[in-house]
Amino acid sequence: MNIAIILAGGIGNRMRREDIVIPKQFLKIDNKPIVAYTLANFQNHDSIDKILVVCVDDWIEEMKKIVVENHFDKVNWIISGGKS
């Protein structure tokens, strides 16, 4: 069994602006969060059986919403990332 681990637990300090408070993985490109593109690639890969997502603690509910809306059924776990 192959489990992909998606590291989406950062907040993007290097590209942070005072007027943007959204972690970079949740910024949208073509009205879709960046992390959804990543998850779609692993969801559609034949060699991946399950996906674990490490997420910013305050954004776990948003990640769950993205998973449900996009039918990413290989995502089995969404866990909180560390402090850094």
Side-chain angles (χ1 to χ4, degrees):
M1 176 174 294
N2 293 312
I3 300 172
I5 301 174
I6 308 300
L7 303 176
I11 56 173
N13 279 333
R14 290 186 302 262
M15 64 180 284
R16 193 153 188 117
R17 294 183 355 203
E18 289 182 24
D19 59 328
I20 297 178
V21 293
I22 299 172
K24 66 184 173 188
Q25 60 273 31
F26 293 99
L27 294 174
K28 292 185 177 183
I29 296 176
D30 288 335
N31 210 27
K32 186 174 175 181
I34 292 170
V35 71
Y37 291 99
T38 301
L39 289 171
N41 282 316
F42 286 94
Q43 174 72 32
N44 296 324
H45 197 290
D46 292 337
S47 295
I48 300 299
D49 301 305
K50 295 184 179 185
I51 302 169
L52 179 149
V53 181
V54 180
C55 184
V56 179
D57 191 48
D58 292 339
W59 287 78
I60 288 178
E61 290 305 314
E62 183 65 21
M63 183 67 73
K64 288 178 182 177
K65 182 179 168 186
I66 292 167
V67 168
V68 169
E69 287 176 353
N70 292 280
H71 309 285
F72 294 142
D73 60 349
K74 288 186 181 180
V75 175
N76 281 255
W77 310 276
I78 300 173
I79 63 171
S80 178
K83 291 190 182 215
S84 62

